Amino acid sequence: MAPPTNGRPARAHPSVTSTSTTSPGPVRIALDLLGGDDAPAVVVDGAVRACAADPDLRLLLVGSVGLLDEAVRAFPASAHGRLTLRPARGAVGMADAPSRGSRADTSVRGAVNAVVEGVADAVVSAGASGASVTAAALGLGRLPGVRRPALAATLPAAAGSLVLLDVGGSLDHSPATLLRHAQLGAAYAAAVRPDVPPRVGLLSIGVEPGKGDRSRRLAAVALAKAPLPAGAGYVGLVEGHEVGLGSRANVVVTDGFTGNILLKGVEGAYAMAGAPHPAPAAAPLLGVNGVVVVCHGAADGADIASGIALAAALARDGVVARLTSLLPEPVEATG
Amino acid sequence: MAPPTNGRPARAHPSVTSTSTTSPGPVRIALDLLGGDDAPAVVVDGAVRACAADPDLRLLLVGSVGLLDEAVRAFPASAHGRLTLRPARGAVGMADAPSRGSRADTSVRGAVNAVVEGVADAVVSAGASGASVTAAALGLGRLPGVRRPALAATLPAAAGSLVLLDVGGSLDHSPATLLRHAQLGAAYAAAVRPDVPPRVGLLSIGVEPGKGDRSRRLAAVALAKAPLPAGAGYVGLVEGHEVGLGSRANVVVTDGFTGNILLKGVEGAYAMAGAPHPAPAAAPLLGVNGVVVVCHGAADGADIASGIALAAALARDGVVARLTSLLPEPVEATG
């Protein structure tokens, strides 16, 4: 999720757990110190907040040489024993190509590698989302049948919370990707909220069958026939306001272009309405074999702390293993 | 704009004129009695309200035989002299193909034909927008260089009002269409608000050059070079929250799929925030040679009245002629 350049909507900072239960116990988060508009300052600020809030949290700070000592000094001395440091050559800038996330010397790739090596349980980055997706897909691998990982935002809605995906993991709107994202979203919703059966809706510009572009029409046909995890049901096409209402669907599937614009439009509307924005400042990346949380590029310290808390909760709950076990067998790609 | 099937966001009913000046004097609106989820009842209700609010308004009611008398009886006898009736065979349903709007016996085509024949000054319909676009394009013709007419919603924003287009006129996202819609949007903004220079932004998922899909990348290059009307400037890529902020752009261009979902997402967010929704219940169709206002399929009587008032204001102000005179010469289509 790329950052706004000016005028940031006000954002509330609710406690982040969209998970139903959070196991206590140590958890190790690899944190990309260099990602985000105001990195490293706000990232370090968020890390300090997260450490204060969670005594079992351990952090692996990945950043460039020359700022590691300063980052450590921002923490109280009592927390120093919970910190590990890893040098990286540089960040991936917002204007860089996403493929830069594949380079081993970037901070986001360093954070991913820490999970691959087993020295961290999850990754948090507020850097360019394209680079985070690339680094995560290359480093951790993708789940079966997943061509494009998806960023999944959990939003409050009048009828309860709702998972919107993809909000910017990729620009692919092929029917095969929309279908797999629907399955990923339903599996994620069931993994974090086992008590609520997923109701999957496909975002379009009308609810009558056939509304939308060719991709939606094909995806709708595929979704009506495809297996959905955890007793999920497909409710059909839904429109943009469903993201605020949640009356028909609690998992809303769209492509990353539309989803990112919709999510940010909802942010802007809350700002315009004068309401604090309850939308998430962090979204998990679904479809990779590990916990990766991507924070808003314009994240502030509280947002980063929320992202760390979300990553910690997902790692402690073993959400990736649960999601993977729920995910249906991939079907042959059709579009 | 297709209707929600359940749970309609609350909507405020501001006075509709986005126009700066409204000339008094008679104006004749052709009203599609059969379009909309709750037609004809809410359409007739809106017509009665509009007549009461505007003593110089005359209405041409287009509907099926058997309901015309009842429609007239809904008006006070003192208003009967301002009504004309025209029978039509039927409506275009939300689930019908948009091409049905081309049939001469539909109510929306009947309303368009009244303008073509010179017996009405503008069309208002809450029917399926695809059919309204088809009927309008075939009946009235398109302005030079316009392949796809665009629905333009005027939204309140923190920094002033903002024109978002296309919100559902077509699904075309070609660079040529995005460019022409940018010119149409800027010309419309200048025609209705001559005191405010248009600042045109292209909606994408980041503000850095190159962000977005191939269509946006090509459209951004074209927009940076193309003539814009009325001293308008191109400000570059903008993100979804710009629609609430309006800080960089007051004309935001996107394809009709994304724009429709964004507009309805903003509606849902207002509903979720508990704020009355200030977004428009009616949008003019830009790029056809006449005034056509499309109301939300879920419009209530007050929405219809707002749409009629908007159409009356646009017709009285001669906005189509002003827009046409401002529109740059079309360039050869490139995508």
Side-chain angles (χ1 to χ4, degrees):
Chain A
M1 290 176 283
T5 49
N6 55 28
R8 295 173 187 176
R11 189 155 43 217
H13 299 295
S15 64
V16 149
T17 55
S18 57
T19 52
S20 53
T21 57
T22 295
S23 319
V27 66
R28 304 161 303 170
I29 306 296
L31 182 63
D32 173 9
L33 286 186
L34 304 183
D37 299 353
D38 300 314
V42 298
V43 184
V44 171
D45 176 38
V48 171
R49 290 168 184 247
C51 265
D54 182 347
D56 286 332
L57 179 70
R58 293 167 191 195
L59 290 173
L60 174 69
L61 306 176
V62 187
S64 46
V65 178
L67 73 82
L68 296 172
D69 283 321
E70 190 183 335
V72 172
R73 278 195 290 268
F75 289 80
S78 60
H80 288 184
R82 293 153 60 193
L83 304 178
T84 315
L85 307 173
R86 176 177 287 215
R89 187 112 175 230
V92 182
M94 285 296 171
D96 290 333
S99 57
R100 197 164 145 72
S102 64
R103 288 179 47 170
D105 58 355
T106 60
S107 52
V108 66
R109 188 65 193 269
V112 167
N113 285 348
V115 174
V116 175
E117 297 157 15
V119 298
D121 304 308
V123 174
V124 174
S125 176
S129 58
S132 297
V133 173
T134 302
L138 288 172
L140 297 166
R142 291 167 293 177
L143 299 184
V146 175
R147 293 196 294 186
R148 305 284 188 178
L151 284 169
T154 298
L155 293 161
S161 71
L162 174 146
V163 174
L164 173 68
L165 78 167
D166 177 8
V167 297
S170 85
L171 298 176
D172 185 18
H173 56 79
S174 68
T177 289
L178 290 170
L179 171 59
R180 198 58 170 167
H181 285 181
Q183 293 171 327
L184 276 173
Y188 175 71
V192 299
R193 293 284 305 276
D195 53 318
V196 181
R199 289 168 285 120
V200 178
L202 179 64
L203 195 61
S204 193
I205 58 169
V207 298
E208 299 82 7
K211 290 283 178 183
D213 58 17
R214 184 166 182 275
S215 285
R216 313 310 137 157
R217 291 198 301 274
L218 292 173
V221 171
L223 265 166
K225 293 187 294 193
L228 288 174
Y234 172 59
V235 303
L237 301 180
V238 298
E239 295 183 274
H241 54 257
E242 189 65 20
V243 165
L245 301 175
S247 51
R248 292 179 57 221
N250 55 21
V251 176
V252 172
V253 181
T254 191
D255 63 277
F257 185 85
T258 308
N260 184 277
I261 284 170
L262 175 60
L263 181 66
K264 288 178 180 163
V266 167
E267 276 186 27
Y270 276 102
M272 180 62 197
H277 177 224
L285 184 65
L286 304 186
V288 294
N289 193 19
V291 175
V292 177
V293 168
V294 173
C295 295
H296 202 295
D300 63 18
D303 295 330
I304 299 287
S306 290
I308 294 171
L310 174 61
L314 297 176
R316 281 170 167 145
D317 278 357
V319 163
V320 171
R322 284 157 61 188
L323 184 159
T324 305
S325 72
L326 290 169
L327 200 60
E329 288 290 308
V331 291
E332 283 302 303
T334 55
Chain B
M1 291 178 282
T5 48
N6 56 29
R8 295 173 188 173
R11 188 155 45 218
H13 299 294
S15 63
V16 149
T17 55
S18 56
T19 53
S20 53
T21 57
T22 295
S23 318
V27 66
R28 303 161 304 170
I29 306 296
L31 181 63
D32 173 8
L33 287 186
L34 304 182
D37 299 354
D38 300 314
V42 298
V43 183
V44 171
D45 177 37
V48 171
R49 291 168 183 248
C51 266
D54 182 347
D56 286 331
L57 178 70
R58 292 168 191 194
L59 290 173
L60 174 69
L61 306 177
V62 187
S64 45
V65 178
L67 72 82
L68 296 172
D69 284 319
E70 190 184 335
V72 172
R73 278 196 289 268
F75 290 79
S78 60
H80 288 183
R82 292 153 61 194
L83 304 179
T84 315
L85 307 173
R86 176 177 288 215
R89 186 113 174 229
V92 182
M94 286 295 171
D96 289 334
S99 58
R100 196 163 146 74
S102 64
R103 288 178 49 169
D105 58 356
T106 61
S107 52
V108 66
R109 188 66 194 269
V112 167
N113 285 347
V115 174
V116 175
E117 297 156 15
V119 298
D121 303 307
V123 174
V124 174
S125 177
S129 58
S132 298
V133 173
T134 301
L138 288 172
L140 297 166
R142 292 167 292 178
L143 299 184
V146 175
R147 293 196 294 185
R148 304 285 188 177
L151 284 169
T154 299
L155 293 162
S161 72
L162 174 146
V163 174
L164 173 67
L165 78 166
D166 178 8
V167 298
S170 85
L171 297 176
D172 185 19
H173 55 79
S174 68
T177 289
L178 291 170
L179 171 58
R180 199 58 172 166
H181 285 180
Q183 294 172 326
L184 276 174
Y188 176 71
V192 297
R193 294 283 306 275
D195 53 318
V196 181
R199 289 169 284 119
V200 178
L202 178 65
L203 195 62
S204 193
I205 59 170
V207 297
E208 300 82 7
K211 291 282 180 184
D213 58 17
R214 185 166 181 276
S215 286
R216 314 308 140 156
R217 291 197 302 274
L218 292 173
V221 171
L223 264 166
K225 293 187 293 194
L228 288 174
Y234 173 58
V235 303
L237 301 180
V238 298
E239 295 182 276
H241 54 257
E242 189 66 19
V243 165
L245 302 175
S247 50
R248 291 180 58 222
N250 55 20
V251 176
V252 172
V253 180
T254 190
D255 64 276
F257 185 84
T258 308
N260 184 275
I261 285 170
L262 175 59
L263 180 66
K264 289 180 179 162
V266 166
E267 277 186 27
Y270 275 103
M272 180 63 196
H277 178 224
L285 184 66
L286 304 185
V288 294
N289 193 17
V291 176
V292 177
V293 168
V294 173
C295 295
H296 202 296
D300 62 18
D303 296 331
I304 299 286
S306 290
I308 293 171
L310 174 61
L314 297 175
R316 281 170 167 144
D317 277 357
V319 163
V320 171
R322 285 156 63 187
L323 184 160
T324 304
S325 72
L326 289 169
L327 200 60
E329 288 291 309
V331 293
E332 284 301 305
T334 55

